[in-house]
């Protein structure tokens, strides 16, 4: 059950679910002010009925009778994170929470108390999460390795994103732990201008409103050494793929009746070792 | 005692030793066919006497009387690796072996048997070693994370280097373990042409004969995700700095009468945690 339709992220998740030929529940939680009553994916003819918060309580029991083993995927709105989680918990619905924001502490707490299986992760891009984890570990293992190196960061996102990339902030923190020198006002370049994005970064026009480009460049004091890391994402497919991996992961945990019930993306990543 | 003068790498190490104001032993093992009898660093006026293999046995005891606590740094020739190591071992001289090649297994074995303190590492660039270690660990932790991604590698070195970069090979191995698809004949580009190096990579003319540029680029099957790693080194300073760090590390181990006697660059890196 992919909730948040017809939103961009949940549409992409629905596409991946259909492409992987996994069963889809033809209902989706949506916003109260949503004008449409159903959604049609590009991949499938089956319509998905959109359920507003005012309707969902009356519908869910029938849905659960028809699809007793459903797993909810949530890409709704930061404002809905906590109430949606409480809804899943109340009806014992396992869920993958990809929506960011909300009261995260309360989200974790209510999930633990409810004893419902869940994957909660603010970033579902497995490859990016692996990179973050790796740099975090590197900072722990070699805290002085980039002593006196200068770090410079360029990040580009859609024009509507006002703040600095959260991923960039976390990566910068790791490099600073490794001794790199970094000043936000001098060493960070945020690109939000579509013209620069097309000309400098060669971002295709269709992705100007949905991309996440990051470059981290470390330079030695004498400038003889440059070490750079780059992660460039166009669109949302990487996150949708990771989300569906999380759903499959959760499904397996439920079948195994695993004692651990709350997971994050690191758990999904680590699990794939034993399956390879 | 910096052995291998007047070679490029040992000259650079000598410069770093002098810049850091560490004491220098004014002798250096050199090749039998060396024409010069002494060497003058740019940094210091003190001449370094060059000792040929035929002379060294008769000289070393006097040198050890004058400098009983000397540590040898070896940047000589692959052909000399094993015989030089045996020489250090015979006279109980702790050594940092930066020379590559030779019979590595025999090198390790004789060192262990001799019970002499030593750092043996084919790559003394701490930052590059840290990067290699990190990717190696990432491959162990997340073996499938780049499943179906395509890896493309470009590496540029001086024209005289015929084979593929050993560092690149090791990094490629890590990415392949993470599931990336890589074919040496299609996905590796080796640049040895000085014109391309200057024009494409903007390598300054003075470094055309001494640089190591590496770019690894991973692309997702749908091309929406690109993850890249780059380590570009001009000249030899990074290796010389790491070598002198290894000497200081070994000096400390000797003072501490450490029970472990044989170390590698990872040990040097890890040690720096506790000192930061």
């Amino acid at each position: 059950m992919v909730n948040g339709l017809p939103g961009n992220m949940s549409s992409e998740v629905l596409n991946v679910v259909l492409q992987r030929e996994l069963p889809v529940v033809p209902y989706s939680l949506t916003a109260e002010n949503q004008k449409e009553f159903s959604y049609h994916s590009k991949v499938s003819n089956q319509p998905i009925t959109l359920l507003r918060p005012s309707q969902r309580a009356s519908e869910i029991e029938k849905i659960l009778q028809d699809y007793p083993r459903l797993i909810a995927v949530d890409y709704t709105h930061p404002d809905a994170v906590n109430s949606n989680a409480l809804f899943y918990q109340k009806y014992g619905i396992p869920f993958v929470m990809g929506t960011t924001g909300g009261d995260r502490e309360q989200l974790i707490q209510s999930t633990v108390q409810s004893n419902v299986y869940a994957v909660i992760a603010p970033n579902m891009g497995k490859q990016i999460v692996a990179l973050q984890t790796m740099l975090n570990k590197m900072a722990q293992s070699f805290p002085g390795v980039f002593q006196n190196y200068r770090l410079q960061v360029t990040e580009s996102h859609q024009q509507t994103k006002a703040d600095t990339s959260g991923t960039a902030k976390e990566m910068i923190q790791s490099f600073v732990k490794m001794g790199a020198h970094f000043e936000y006002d001098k060493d960070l370049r945020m690109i939000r201008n579509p013209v620069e994005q097309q000309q400098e970064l060669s971002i295709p026009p269709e992705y100007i409103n949905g991309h996440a480009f990051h470059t981290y460049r470390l330079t030695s004091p004498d400038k003889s050494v440059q070490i750079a890391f780059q992660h460039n994402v166009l669109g949302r497919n990487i996150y949708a793929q990771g989300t569906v991996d999380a759903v499959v992961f959760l499904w397996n945990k439920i079948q195994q009746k695993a004692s651990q019930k709350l997971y994050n993306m690191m758990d999904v990543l680590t699990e794939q070792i034993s399956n390879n």
Side-chain angles (χ1 to χ4, degrees), chain A:
Chain A
M1 184 183 197
V2 182
N3 297 328
L5 290 174
N8 289 324
M9 194 57 225
S10 39
S11 309
E12 188 72 33
V13 170
L14 183 63
N15 288 345
V16 173
V17 170
L18 293 167
Q19 281 155 3
R20 294 207 200 166
E21 300 184 350
L22 297 168
V24 172
V25 175
Y27 295 90
S28 174
L29 300 186
T30 194
E32 195 61 50
N33 61 2
Q34 175 54 241
K35 282 172 196 146
E36 302 296 327
F37 287 88
S38 72
Y39 174 86
H40 284 79
S41 156
K42 278 174 244 159
V43 182
S44 153
N45 285 319
Q46 190 183 26
I48 310 279
T49 303
L50 302 179
L51 296 176
R52 283 145 197 77
S54 54
Q55 299 170 276
R56 65 191 190 186
S58 59
E59 300 286 336
I60 194 68
E61 292 193 24
K62 191 192 157 297
I63 296 171
L64 283 170
Q65 271 175 12
D66 294 345
Y67 306 93
R69 299 192 293 176
L70 76 80
I71 294 177
V73 170
D74 196 288
Y75 278 107
T76 55
H77 190 273
D79 290 348
V81 163
N82 296 95
S83 61
N84 283 4
L86 289 172
F87 179 76
Y88 305 137
Q89 292 154 11
K90 182 177 173 186
Y91 291 96
I93 301 170
F95 64 97
V96 173
M97 179 61 75
T99 316
T100 55
D103 181 337
R104 305 304 283 189
E105 205 174 307
Q106 199 243 303
L107 170 63
I108 299 290
Q109 215 170 25
S110 68
T111 307
V112 170
Q113 281 168 1
S114 73
N115 220 16
V116 155
Y117 284 94
V119 175
I120 298 179
N123 186 340
M124 295 280 175
K126 285 194 305 174
Q127 291 77 13
I128 312 295
V129 171
L131 197 63
Q132 284 181 301
T133 307
M134 179 185 74
L135 283 169
N136 192 5
K137 279 188 188 168
M138 191 176 174
Q140 282 165 25
S141 304
F142 314 124
V145 71
F146 291 121
Q147 203 77 60
N148 299 323
Y149 275 55
R150 183 174 173 197
L151 172 64
Q152 288 169 298
V153 178
T154 302
E155 57 101 332
S156 172
H157 288 80
Q158 65 279 5
Q159 200 159 19
T160 50
K161 183 173 173 64
D163 58 337
T164 308
S165 150
T167 311
K169 278 190 204 161
E170 203 187 291
M171 301 283 266
I172 289 166
Q173 210 174 15
S174 292
F175 288 120
V176 167
K177 274 189 202 160
M178 288 184 255
H181 184 80
F182 181 82
E183 291 176 59
Y184 269 94
D185 53 345
K186 283 186 199 161
D187 298 321
L188 173 67
R189 181 166 170 230
M190 286 164 65
I191 303 177
R192 297 290 181 270
N193 179 342
V195 177
E196 287 176 53
Q197 291 170 340
Q198 286 193 50
Q199 288 178 352
E200 275 186 55
L201 306 178
S202 308
I203 293 173
E206 65 268 34
Y207 291 113
I208 290 298
N209 290 317
H211 68 273
F213 272 40
H214 301 79
T215 301
Y216 313 85
R217 190 170 296 279
L218 292 149
T219 309
S220 68
D222 70 353
K223 298 190 170 54
S224 71
V225 182
Q226 281 218 348
I227 293 177
F229 300 82
Q230 203 170 54
H231 51 98
N232 293 346
V233 175
L234 294 171
R236 302 175 175 87
N237 188 264
I238 184 179
Y239 309 111
Q241 296 287 353
T243 303
V244 178
D245 287 339
V247 171
V248 172
F249 167 89
L250 206 57
W251 172 265
N252 289 331
K253 291 294 167 191
I254 295 164
Q255 303 314 305
Q256 296 159 14
K257 298 188 168 61
S259 57
Q260 185 181 341
K261 300 211 166 175
L262 176 59
Y263 300 93
N264 60 31
M265 211 55 201
M266 273 296 302
D267 298 311
V268 177
L269 263 168
T270 312
E271 181 80 355
Q272 299 197 324
I273 304 169
S274 41
N275 303 334
N276 269 296

